[in-house]
Amino acid sequence: SMDGSMDGMMTPDDMSALENADGAGASRLFLEQMIVHHVGAVDMARAALEDGQHPDVLELAQQVVDDQTSEINAMEELLTQL
């Protein structure tokens, strides 16, 4: 349900925190925010999979889950190296 709030979208506070961070701090912050954004996308795609009837929609939603999940894993791996 889209209640007007965009889950996982970066807020102005997120943006200013990112601008004020430096080096590894900025990288860490960016990755953490991207992970939140991707998790939101995965949640939406999973909801579509549960409600979806249309084969093309189901295929696209599954693709989003697969792609975003692998990106989340990659970003979490990068975070451990910062």
Side-chain angles (χ1 to χ4, degrees):
S1 69
M2 300 299 290
D3 58 358
S5 76
M6 289 296 289
D7 285 343
M9 296 305 281
M10 288 181 68
T11 65
D13 285 348
D14 290 336
M15 295 299 289
S16 60
L18 190 54
E19 285 164 17
N20 294 327
D22 63 338
S27 299
R28 175 177 295 280
L29 209 54
F30 176 74
L31 286 168
E32 286 170 352
Q33 290 168 359
M34 285 300 292
I35 288 168
V36 168
H37 178 76
H38 280 44
V39 167
V42 170
D43 288 344
M44 281 192 279
R46 288 208 170 112
L49 283 171
E50 286 169 19
D51 302 338
Q53 308 298 322
H54 200 284
D56 290 346
V57 173
L58 295 175
E59 191 176 334
L60 178 62
Q62 187 61 57
Q63 191 65 49
V64 168
V65 170
D66 295 344
D67 292 349
Q68 302 278 332
T69 300
S70 67
E71 287 184 33
I72 291 166
N73 292 338
M75 288 187 286
E76 287 176 338
E77 179 65 27
L78 281 173
L79 272 176
T80 65
Q81 297 166 21
L82 288 176

